Amino acid sequence: MNIALFGYGKMGKTIEKIALDRGHHILVKVSSTSETYDLSQIDVAIDFSLPSTAVANISECIKSHTPVISGTTGWLDQYDDMVALCKSQNGTFLYASNFSLGVNIFFELNKTLTRLLKGFPDYTVSLEEIHHTQKLDAPSGTAITLAKDIIAETDYKNWTLDAPKQNEIGILAKRIEGVSGTHTVSYDSNIDSIQIKHTAHSRQGFALGAVIAAEYIYDKKGVFQMKDVLQSHK
């Protein structure tokens, strides 16, 4: 595949290496909004840019009929607009808050644990996420996905970074130098505590998942999620 990379920081460079190792070609690398680029020879675009530029990048790809995946977080108030644009253009779009295959398995564990415990009101749930100091948004998109999956199955109404009120899920967001990413879901009662936790050791897992997702969508039409990619590898 011929790939365009939007965002050529540490993640972009890791994605580039993995894509090249898997036999793909990087024809376009975009680091800022001022750069000009040509998508005419591109099979799929991978966006790991900034929240301020992601929507423009995704829109341009969809309008030029270039399949695009995005792992940029912090812009999701416009996600529905991108889905509508993709459908109107008969395009191809996949967004994931986290492309790590391990994290997407963790999402499924979170859903299962939520279903098992939702009939036991003595347990209260909270989330903690830890990332490197360069991460601009808080909480992480992964933490928001975990919280939304819990909310969908329970009486919780929303999440908060502040002290949680009744029917709110508290999320503690920490930024520590050199940390790739850790997410913990905790259920606590007066009797005991139950936790599930995912810890990333490097960016490799995120980058590999992004390339695998790009390989999955490049010849398809529609709006996809990482669960579609996982199901294709069963």
Side-chain angles (χ1 to χ4, degrees):
M1 295 189 306
N2 293 333
I3 296 174
L5 290 178
F6 288 91
Y8 195 57
K10 292 179 180 178
M11 179 61 76
K13 291 179 173 66
T14 305
I15 290 171
E16 178 182 38
K17 183 179 185 307
I18 289 175
L20 293 174
D21 288 345
R22 293 173 72 91
H24 304 305
H25 308 282
I26 309 298
L27 297 191
V28 173
K29 291 181 277 192
V30 181
S31 298
S32 70
T33 55
S34 62
E35 295 179 51
T36 59
Y37 51 87
D38 179 9
L39 298 178
S40 62
Q41 302 299 313
I42 298 299
D43 295 310
V44 63
I46 299 176
D47 171 65
F48 273 86
S49 58
L50 298 172
S52 59
T53 60
V55 171
N57 295 337
I58 296 165
S59 299
E60 181 61 30
C61 290
I62 291 174
K63 290 175 182 177
S64 66
H65 304 288
T66 302
V68 57
I69 72 169
S70 178
T72 305
T73 57
W75 62 272
L76 290 185
D77 55 333
Q78 298 181 71
Y79 173 77
D80 290 342
D81 296 334
M82 295 300 96
V83 169
L85 178 63
C86 181
K87 291 179 178 178
S88 71
Q89 297 289 322
N90 190 30
T92 308
F93 174 49
L94 186 154
Y95 167 77
S97 59
N98 195 312
F99 278 96
S100 163
L101 302 180
V103 163
N104 281 276
I105 294 170
F106 186 64
F107 286 152
E108 298 306 313
L109 288 174
N110 178 54
K111 293 175 187 176
T112 299
L113 183 58
T114 298
R115 294 181 189 120
L116 288 172
L117 289 178
K118 69 179 182 180
F120 298 90
D122 289 341
Y123 287 94
T124 58
V125 66
S126 61
L127 303 177
E128 179 184 88
E129 59 98 339
I130 307 172
H131 281 86
H132 52 80
T133 53
Q134 288 77 38
K135 185 168 179 59
L136 300 178
D137 56 313
S140 67
T142 300
I144 293 173
T145 297
L146 290 165
K148 286 184 174 179
D149 287 343
I150 295 169
I151 290 167
E153 294 283 346
T154 64
D155 292 332
Y156 286 100
K157 302 301 182 184
N158 59 280
W159 57 265
T160 180
L161 286 169
D162 300 319
K165 300 176 183 176
Q166 187 175 8
N167 295 329
E168 288 185 332
I169 299 172
I171 300 178
L172 177 61
K174 298 180 179 178
R175 296 293 174 262
I176 300 173
E177 185 69 34
V179 175
S180 295
T182 298
H183 293 85
T184 305
V185 181
S186 300
Y187 281 86
D188 296 296
S189 74
N190 292 330
I191 298 173
D192 56 16
S193 298
I194 302 170
Q195 288 187 340
I196 56 173
K197 180 178 180 179
H198 178 274
T199 301
H201 300 305
S202 72
R203 293 182 176 83
Q204 296 288 326
F206 307 104
L208 176 60
V211 175
I212 289 174
E215 293 169 346
Y216 173 77
I217 70 161
Y218 91 99
D219 60 351
K220 296 177 175 63
K221 296 289 185 182
V223 178
F224 301 95
Q225 300 177 3
M226 274 301 288
K227 67 180 181 181
D228 301 310
V229 180
L230 292 179
Q231 289 171 356
S232 72
H233 282 74
K234 285 184 177 180

mmCIF file of all heavy atoms in Angstrom, residues 1-4 15 19 24 43-46 67-69 92 94 99 207-220 226 229:
data_model
loop_
_atom_site.group_PDB
_atom_site.id
_atom_site.type_symbol
_atom_site.label_atom_id
_atom_site.label_comp_id
_atom_site.label_asym_id
_atom_site.label_seq_id
_atom_site.Cartn_x
_atom_site.Cartn_y
_atom_site.Cartn_z
ATOM 1 N N MET A 1 0.839 -1.197 0.000
ATOM 2 C CA MET A 1 0.000 0.000 0.000
ATOM 3 C C MET A 1 0.873 1.245 0.000
ATOM 4 O O MET A 1 1.960 1.253 0.578
ATOM 5 C CB MET A 1 -0.893 0.053 1.249
ATOM 6 C CG MET A 1 -1.928 -1.032 1.365
ATOM 7 S SD MET A 1 -3.070 -0.704 2.745
ATOM 8 C CE MET A 1 -1.942 -0.491 4.115
ATOM 9 N N ASN A 2 0.370 2.296 -0.604
ATOM 10 C CA ASN A 2 0.978 3.623 -0.520
ATOM 11 C C ASN A 2 0.261 4.387 0.592
ATOM 12 O O ASN A 2 -0.958 4.551 0.551
ATOM 13 C CB ASN A 2 0.845 4.370 -1.845
ATOM 14 C CG ASN A 2 1.667 3.719 -2.937
ATOM 15 O OD1 ASN A 2 2.664 3.062 -2.681
ATOM 16 N ND2 ASN A 2 1.242 3.914 -4.186
ATOM 17 N N ILE A 3 1.015 4.862 1.549
ATOM 18 C CA ILE A 3 0.446 5.438 2.764
ATOM 19 C C ILE A 3 0.808 6.910 2.889
ATOM 20 O O ILE A 3 1.930 7.313 2.575
ATOM 21 C CB ILE A 3 0.940 4.674 4.003
ATOM 22 C CG1 ILE A 3 0.438 3.226 3.969
ATOM 23 C CG2 ILE A 3 0.497 5.361 5.300
ATOM 24 C CD1 ILE A 3 0.988 2.363 5.084
ATOM 25 N N ALA A 4 -0.166 7.709 3.371
ATOM 26 C CA ALA A 4 0.093 9.088 3.782
ATOM 27 C C ALA A 4 0.034 9.152 5.301
ATOM 28 O O ALA A 4 -0.886 8.606 5.914
ATOM 29 C CB ALA A 4 -0.942 10.039 3.183
ATOM 30 N N ILE A 15 5.094 4.367 13.322
ATOM 31 C CA ILE A 15 4.199 3.801 12.315
ATOM 32 C C ILE A 15 4.940 3.608 10.994
ATOM 33 O O ILE A 15 4.798 2.573 10.325
ATOM 34 C CB ILE A 15 2.971 4.714 12.118
ATOM 35 C CG1 ILE A 15 2.071 4.663 13.364
ATOM 36 C CG2 ILE A 15 2.172 4.303 10.872
ATOM 37 C CD1 ILE A 15 0.962 5.686 13.350
ATOM 38 N N ALA A 19 5.263 0.108 9.048
ATOM 39 C CA ALA A 19 4.678 0.012 7.705
ATOM 40 C C ALA A 19 5.720 -0.423 6.678
ATOM 41 O O ALA A 19 5.449 -1.286 5.827
ATOM 42 C CB ALA A 19 4.061 1.350 7.311
ATOM 43 N N HIS A 24 5.028 -1.819 2.965
ATOM 44 C CA HIS A 24 4.270 -0.676 2.464
ATOM 45 C C HIS A 24 5.217 0.475 2.107
ATOM 46 O O HIS A 24 6.418 0.441 2.402
ATOM 47 C CB HIS A 24 3.230 -0.230 3.488
ATOM 48 C CG HIS A 24 2.298 -1.336 3.895
ATOM 49 N ND1 HIS A 24 1.565 -2.070 2.987
ATOM 50 C CD2 HIS A 24 1.996 -1.849 5.126
ATOM 51 C CE1 HIS A 24 0.847 -2.976 3.625
ATOM 52 N NE2 HIS A 24 1.093 -2.859 4.925
ATOM 53 N N ASP A 43 -3.163 4.996 -1.094
ATOM 54 C CA ASP A 43 -4.168 3.959 -0.855
ATOM 55 C C ASP A 43 -4.903 4.162 0.458
ATOM 56 O O ASP A 43 -6.092 3.850 0.579
ATOM 57 C CB ASP A 43 -3.504 2.577 -0.854
ATOM 58 C CG ASP A 43 -2.920 2.204 -2.199
ATOM 59 O OD1 ASP A 43 -3.649 2.320 -3.200
ATOM 60 O OD2 ASP A 43 -1.738 1.799 -2.249
ATOM 61 N N VAL A 44 -4.196 4.659 1.477
ATOM 62 C CA VAL A 44 -4.807 4.876 2.784
ATOM 63 C C VAL A 44 -3.997 5.922 3.534
ATOM 64 O O VAL A 44 -2.775 5.996 3.391
ATOM 65 C CB VAL A 44 -4.898 3.557 3.593
ATOM 66 C CG1 VAL A 44 -3.521 3.000 3.876
ATOM 67 C CG2 VAL A 44 -5.681 3.726 4.881
ATOM 68 N N ALA A 45 -4.685 6.747 4.331
ATOM 69 C CA ALA A 45 -4.024 7.755 5.157
ATOM 70 C C ALA A 45 -4.162 7.385 6.629
ATOM 71 O O ALA A 45 -5.188 6.837 7.060
ATOM 72 C CB ALA A 45 -4.631 9.136 4.913
ATOM 73 N N ILE A 46 -3.111 7.688 7.387
ATOM 74 C CA ILE A 46 -3.095 7.430 8.825
ATOM 75 C C ILE A 46 -2.875 8.762 9.531
ATOM 76 O O ILE A 46 -1.865 9.425 9.319
ATOM 77 C CB ILE A 46 -1.986 6.436 9.197
ATOM 78 C CG1 ILE A 46 -2.206 5.096 8.490
ATOM 79 C CG2 ILE A 46 -1.932 6.240 10.712
ATOM 80 C CD1 ILE A 46 -1.092 4.076 8.736
ATOM 81 N N PRO A 67 -9.220 6.418 1.807
ATOM 82 C CA PRO A 67 -9.536 5.804 3.098
ATOM 83 C C PRO A 67 -8.631 6.368 4.191
ATOM 84 O O PRO A 67 -7.423 6.546 3.980
ATOM 85 C CB PRO A 67 -9.268 4.315 2.860
ATOM 86 C CG PRO A 67 -9.455 4.129 1.383
ATOM 87 C CD PRO A 67 -8.943 5.400 0.765
ATOM 88 N N VAL A 68 -9.197 6.635 5.351
ATOM 89 C CA VAL A 68 -8.423 7.278 6.412
ATOM 90 C C VAL A 68 -8.756 6.655 7.758
ATOM 91 O O VAL A 68 -9.914 6.369 8.059
ATOM 92 C CB VAL A 68 -8.670 8.808 6.441
ATOM 93 C CG1 VAL A 68 -10.143 9.134 6.607
ATOM 94 C CG2 VAL A 68 -7.829 9.482 7.527
ATOM 95 N N ILE A 69 -7.709 6.425 8.548
ATOM 96 C CA ILE A 69 -7.889 6.053 9.943
ATOM 97 C C ILE A 69 -7.316 7.176 10.800
ATOM 98 O O ILE A 69 -6.392 7.872 10.389
ATOM 99 C CB ILE A 69 -7.217 4.715 10.298
ATOM 100 C CG1 ILE A 69 -5.696 4.854 10.320
ATOM 101 C CG2 ILE A 69 -7.653 3.614 9.340
ATOM 102 C CD1 ILE A 69 -4.987 3.667 10.922
ATOM 103 N N THR A 92 -14.413 6.095 3.338
ATOM 104 C CA THR A 92 -13.925 5.057 4.245
ATOM 105 C C THR A 92 -13.240 5.732 5.421
ATOM 106 O O THR A 92 -12.301 6.513 5.237
ATOM 107 C CB THR A 92 -12.926 4.133 3.528
ATOM 108 O OG1 THR A 92 -13.508 3.643 2.319
ATOM 109 C CG2 THR A 92 -12.555 2.958 4.421
ATOM 110 N N LEU A 94 -12.123 5.128 9.754
ATOM 111 C CA LEU A 94 -12.058 4.359 10.994
ATOM 112 C C LEU A 94 -11.387 5.225 12.051
ATOM 113 O O LEU A 94 -10.264 5.684 11.854
ATOM 114 C CB LEU A 94 -11.271 3.058 10.798
ATOM 115 C CG LEU A 94 -11.235 2.072 11.977
ATOM 116 C CD1 LEU A 94 -11.021 0.644 11.467
ATOM 117 C CD2 LEU A 94 -10.151 2.416 13.006
ATOM 118 N N PHE A 99 -5.345 2.229 19.154
ATOM 119 C CA PHE A 99 -5.199 1.193 18.139
ATOM 120 C C PHE A 99 -4.483 -0.055 18.656
ATOM 121 O O PHE A 99 -4.378 -1.041 17.920
ATOM 122 C CB PHE A 99 -4.440 1.744 16.925
ATOM 123 C CG PHE A 99 -5.319 2.519 15.994
ATOM 124 C CD1 PHE A 99 -5.397 3.901 16.079
ATOM 125 C CD2 PHE A 99 -6.087 1.880 15.042
ATOM 126 C CE1 PHE A 99 -6.215 4.626 15.236
ATOM 127 C CE2 PHE A 99 -6.912 2.582 14.193
ATOM 128 C CZ PHE A 99 -6.979 3.963 14.282
ATOM 129 N N ALA A 207 1.254 1.537 17.197
ATOM 130 C CA ALA A 207 1.627 1.704 15.793
ATOM 131 C C ALA A 207 1.279 0.467 14.972
ATOM 132 O O ALA A 207 0.762 0.576 13.850
ATOM 133 C CB ALA A 207 3.116 2.012 15.692
ATOM 134 N N LEU A 208 1.559 -0.715 15.504
ATOM 135 C CA LEU A 208 1.233 -1.947 14.786
ATOM 136 C C LEU A 208 -0.269 -2.047 14.555
ATOM 137 O O LEU A 208 -0.719 -2.391 13.451
ATOM 138 C CB LEU A 208 1.728 -3.162 15.568
ATOM 139 C CG LEU A 208 1.361 -4.526 14.981
ATOM 140 C CD1 LEU A 208 1.942 -4.688 13.591
ATOM 141 C CD2 LEU A 208 1.820 -5.655 15.909
ATOM 142 N N GLY A 209 -1.061 -1.735 15.569
ATOM 143 C CA GLY A 209 -2.513 -1.780 15.421
ATOM 144 C C GLY A 209 -3.009 -0.814 14.364
ATOM 145 O O GLY A 209 -3.930 -1.121 13.606
ATOM 146 N N ALA A 210 -2.382 0.365 14.289
ATOM 147 C CA ALA A 210 -2.777 1.354 13.286
ATOM 148 C C ALA A 210 -2.493 0.847 11.877
ATOM 149 O O ALA A 210 -3.322 1.004 10.962
ATOM 150 C CB ALA A 210 -2.043 2.668 13.529
ATOM 151 N N VAL A 211 -1.333 0.232 11.686
ATOM 152 C CA VAL A 211 -0.997 -0.290 10.360
ATOM 153 C C VAL A 211 -1.927 -1.449 9.987
ATOM 154 O O VAL A 211 -2.406 -1.540 8.849
ATOM 155 C CB VAL A 211 0.480 -0.730 10.302
ATOM 156 C CG1 VAL A 211 0.794 -1.385 8.956
ATOM 157 C CG2 VAL A 211 1.393 0.468 10.525
ATOM 158 N N ILE A 212 -2.217 -2.321 10.939
ATOM 159 C CA ILE A 212 -3.142 -3.422 10.676
ATOM 160 C C ILE A 212 -4.530 -2.885 10.332
ATOM 161 O O ILE A 212 -5.208 -3.401 9.429
ATOM 162 C CB ILE A 212 -3.196 -4.375 11.891
ATOM 163 C CG1 ILE A 212 -1.877 -5.146 11.999
ATOM 164 C CG2 ILE A 212 -4.373 -5.339 11.786
ATOM 165 C CD1 ILE A 212 -1.763 -6.001 13.242
ATOM 166 N N ALA A 213 -4.969 -1.831 11.032
ATOM 167 C CA ALA A 213 -6.272 -1.215 10.723
ATOM 168 C C ALA A 213 -6.264 -0.623 9.318
ATOM 169 O O ALA A 213 -7.254 -0.732 8.583
ATOM 170 C CB ALA A 213 -6.600 -0.141 11.751
ATOM 171 N N ALA A 214 -5.147 0.016 8.936
ATOM 172 C CA ALA A 214 -5.032 0.577 7.589
ATOM 173 C C ALA A 214 -5.105 -0.524 6.541
ATOM 174 O O ALA A 214 -5.764 -0.374 5.492
ATOM 175 C CB ALA A 214 -3.723 1.356 7.458
ATOM 176 N N GLU A 215 -4.451 -1.641 6.803
ATOM 177 C CA GLU A 215 -4.507 -2.779 5.883
ATOM 178 C C GLU A 215 -5.931 -3.308 5.755
ATOM 179 O O GLU A 215 -6.345 -3.757 4.680
ATOM 180 C CB GLU A 215 -3.578 -3.892 6.375
ATOM 181 C CG GLU A 215 -2.101 -3.533 6.315
ATOM 182 C CD GLU A 215 -1.211 -4.520 7.039
ATOM 183 O OE1 GLU A 215 -1.742 -5.356 7.816
ATOM 184 O OE2 GLU A 215 0.011 -4.461 6.837
ATOM 185 N N TYR A 216 -6.693 -3.222 6.844
ATOM 186 C CA TYR A 216 -8.070 -3.729 6.844
ATOM 187 C C TYR A 216 -9.010 -2.868 6.015
ATOM 188 O O TYR A 216 -9.846 -3.378 5.263
ATOM 189 C CB TYR A 216 -8.578 -3.825 8.291
ATOM 190 C CG TYR A 216 -10.036 -4.185 8.410
ATOM 191 C CD1 TYR A 216 -10.468 -5.491 8.233
ATOM 192 C CD2 TYR A 216 -10.990 -3.197 8.681
ATOM 193 C CE1 TYR A 216 -11.816 -5.821 8.339
ATOM 194 C CE2 TYR A 216 -12.330 -3.521 8.788
ATOM 195 C CZ TYR A 216 -12.740 -4.824 8.609
ATOM 196 O OH TYR A 216 -14.074 -5.146 8.693
ATOM 197 N N ILE A 217 -8.883 -1.529 6.117
ATOM 198 C CA ILE A 217 -9.907 -0.665 5.512
ATOM 199 C C ILE A 217 -9.612 -0.242 4.078
ATOM 200 O O ILE A 217 -10.507 0.250 3.390
ATOM 201 C CB ILE A 217 -10.144 0.613 6.343
ATOM 202 C CG1 ILE A 217 -8.941 1.561 6.252
ATOM 203 C CG2 ILE A 217 -10.527 0.293 7.768
ATOM 204 C CD1 ILE A 217 -9.263 2.985 6.645
ATOM 205 N N TYR A 218 -8.383 -0.393 3.598
ATOM 206 C CA TYR A 218 -7.992 0.318 2.379
ATOM 207 C C TYR A 218 -8.825 -0.057 1.164
ATOM 208 O O TYR A 218 -8.973 0.739 0.235
ATOM 209 C CB TYR A 218 -6.498 0.141 2.095
ATOM 210 C CG TYR A 218 -6.156 -1.039 1.221
ATOM 211 C CD1 TYR A 218 -5.923 -0.858 -0.141
ATOM 212 C CD2 TYR A 218 -6.073 -2.328 1.755
ATOM 213 C CE1 TYR A 218 -5.598 -1.936 -0.951
ATOM 214 C CE2 TYR A 218 -5.749 -3.395 0.955
ATOM 215 C CZ TYR A 218 -5.521 -3.204 -0.402
ATOM 216 O OH TYR A 218 -5.211 -4.272 -1.195
ATOM 217 N N ASP A 219 -9.423 -1.268 1.153
ATOM 218 C CA ASP A 219 -10.233 -1.689 0.009
ATOM 219 C C ASP A 219 -11.715 -1.794 0.358
ATOM 220 O O ASP A 219 -12.472 -2.488 -0.312
ATOM 221 C CB ASP A 219 -9.738 -3.030 -0.533
ATOM 222 C CG ASP A 219 -9.798 -4.157 0.499
ATOM 223 O OD1 ASP A 219 -10.056 -3.856 1.691
ATOM 224 O OD2 ASP A 219 -9.586 -5.321 0.124
ATOM 225 N N LYS A 220 -12.137 -1.076 1.429
ATOM 226 C CA LYS A 220 -13.522 -1.145 1.881
ATOM 227 C C LYS A 220 -14.174 0.238 1.846
ATOM 228 O O LYS A 220 -13.489 1.257 1.735
ATOM 229 C CB LYS A 220 -13.593 -1.715 3.298
ATOM 230 C CG LYS A 220 -13.107 -3.158 3.401
ATOM 231 C CD LYS A 220 -13.131 -3.648 4.847
ATOM 232 C CE LYS A 220 -12.760 -5.116 4.934
ATOM 233 N NZ LYS A 220 -11.388 -5.364 4.474
ATOM 234 N N MET A 226 -12.382 -0.510 15.629
ATOM 235 C CA MET A 226 -11.344 -1.521 15.821
ATOM 236 C C MET A 226 -11.926 -2.901 16.074
ATOM 237 O O MET A 226 -11.286 -3.915 15.774
ATOM 238 C CB MET A 226 -10.408 -1.119 16.959
ATOM 239 C CG MET A 226 -9.276 -0.213 16.532
ATOM 240 S SD MET A 226 -8.191 -0.916 15.251
ATOM 241 C CE MET A 226 -7.297 -2.172 16.182
ATOM 242 N N VAL A 229 -11.834 -4.773 12.980
ATOM 243 C CA VAL A 229 -10.496 -5.276 12.663
ATOM 244 C C VAL A 229 -10.209 -6.537 13.475
ATOM 245 O O VAL A 229 -9.702 -7.533 12.935
ATOM 246 C CB VAL A 229 -9.439 -4.200 12.963
ATOM 247 C CG1 VAL A 229 -8.040 -4.713 12.637
ATOM 248 C CG2 VAL A 229 -9.734 -2.925 12.175
#
